[in-house]
Amino acid sequence: MTELSVNVNKIALLRNSRGQDAPNVIEFAKKFIDLGVRGITIHPRQDERHITRQDARDLGDLIRPLDGIELNIEGYPSEEFLQLIEEVKPAQTTLVPDAPDQLTSDHGFDFHSQAEFLKPILTRLKKTGTRVSVFLDPDVEQVQLAAKSEADRIELYTEEYAREFSTERHAEVHQHYHDAAVEANKLGLEVNGGHDLNLENLGKFVSIPGILEVSIGHALVIECLEQGMPAVIKQYLEICANAAR
Ligand SMILES: CC(=O)[C@@H](O)[C@H](O)COP(=O)(O)O
Ligand SMILES: NCC(=O)COP(=O)(O)O
């Protein structure tokens, strides 16, 4: 089974657009959890365009006492981000190599050039007790290098998977993700996935063995607007329950 972690960045984006507190991020996290979701993901970016650092603290307070529910905080490992993780102590921290002005996440770490940069950061984060995941392109060589680090997991960056899902390249691209996931598991790295996943492409993605968690936000919020939260979450949970082991 694969766990679904709902990314609530876009709930916060809508909230920030009016300078009031509607939609309330905490209330929507509770609604997702009440529908059976066992993970909430946020990405507090440096400019706080959507999720703020206070959201992270408030969600940490909400989720910390809830058995079996995990908070996953994603972000670039700036000093400010690392201090936030040390304060909130989420179940999982996912490091992404995003620049402050990036529109969205669009690449994984390069362990050829960034392994030394990440080494003290991973050591520091592990001391907080958080599980550490690193955002990675589906590249077997990168997986092999990441396996030599203190990372517990990788998160496969699935934008290409989604982009090519309905093209003639799908089988080739799917194989890349499959090979990266199998190599990671062989080397003792656990595997998550995320970015641009949706109800259409998720089933095939989680047919790859060993995908422990998918974090989904952008498309999920759009689908909730179209179909309603209960129907959408029901479909996602059914897909995740039928994932390859
Ligand atoms: C790491 C990843 O692929 C997504 O969580 C991404 O961080 C979403 O960020 P935005 O919601 O700001 O596009
Ligand atoms: N790590 C991926 C994530 O949290 C959500 O990405 P998206 O579904 O908003 O593209």
Side-chain angles (χ1 to χ4, degrees):
M1 171 174 169
T2 298
E3 292 293 351
L4 169 67
S5 187
V6 173
N7 184 309
V8 294
N9 289 355
K10 300 303 165 355
I11 304 296
L13 189 67
L14 195 55
R15 177 204 56 199
N16 292 3
S17 67
R18 188 54 72 89
Q20 297 164 358
D21 195 17
N24 179 286
V25 170
I26 298 299
E27 288 309 313
F28 270 78
K30 285 179 183 173
K31 291 175 194 286
F32 284 121
I33 292 166
D34 289 346
L35 289 169
V37 169
R38 288 161 36 95
I40 297 294
T41 289
I42 55 174
H43 188 154
R45 293 182 178 272
Q46 285 100 321
D47 61 10
E48 294 191 317
R49 66 189 71 167
H50 40 54
I51 291 289
T52 66
R53 283 174 283 282
Q54 188 55 46
D55 288 328
R57 297 184 188 102
D58 294 344
L59 283 165
D61 292 343
L62 168 72
I63 291 171
R64 197 170 297 113
L66 301 181
D67 286 342
I69 311 294
E70 290 200 347
L71 177 61
N72 173 41
I73 303 182
E74 301 182 330
Y76 178 83
S78 64
E79 180 58 30
E80 187 176 58
F81 179 80
L82 295 175
Q83 287 183 17
L84 181 67
I85 299 301
E86 288 169 336
E87 178 185 350
V88 177
K89 293 184 173 54
Q92 180 172 270
T93 301
T94 301
L95 300 181
V96 295
D98 292 7
D101 60 351
Q102 261 179 238
L103 175 64
T104 187
S105 306
D106 61 15
H107 63 285
F109 278 102
D110 176 3
F111 272 82
H112 288 294
S113 60
Q114 295 179 294
E116 286 309 306
F117 162 70
L118 285 169
K119 192 172 181 179
I121 290 165
L122 292 169
T123 302
R124 177 173 171 184
L125 287 173
K126 297 283 282 187
K127 287 176 183 168
T128 70
T130 190
R131 177 194 316 125
V132 185
S133 180
V134 290
F135 205 52
L136 213 60
D137 296 323
D139 179 299
V140 168
E141 195 173 315
Q142 290 292 341
V143 170
Q144 291 167 343
L145 292 171
K148 295 174 181 175
S149 77
E150 283 192 79
D152 301 299
R153 291 196 184 180
I154 60 172
E155 176 175 336
L156 292 176
Y157 170 46
T158 51
E159 188 275 338
E160 183 185 20
Y161 190 89
R163 188 179 74 243
E164 300 296 344
F165 184 69
S166 302
T167 76
E168 70 282 355
R169 290 193 62 235
H170 173 70
E172 168 203 347
V173 171
H174 181 88
Q175 194 63 48
H176 291 163
Y177 285 84
H178 175 278
D179 295 349
V182 168
E183 184 72 9
N185 280 301
K186 186 180 80 177
L187 297 173
L189 266 180
E190 296 177 324
V191 181
N192 294 344
H195 204 97
D196 284 344
L197 293 173
N198 61 30
L199 283 173
E200 181 189 18
N201 61 36
L202 181 61
K204 186 66 184 294
F205 181 71
V206 295
S207 72
I208 295 170
I211 307 293
L212 293 182
E213 177 185 287
V214 289
S215 41
I216 308 175
H218 192 82
L220 185 146
V221 169
I222 294 168
E223 290 156 345
C224 285
L225 289 172
E226 292 167 338
Q227 303 178 43
M229 290 169 69
V232 169
I233 297 304
K234 182 173 184 290
Q235 292 170 78
Y236 274 112
L237 292 178
E238 284 171 356
I239 294 168
C240 287
N242 293 318
R245 304 226 177 266

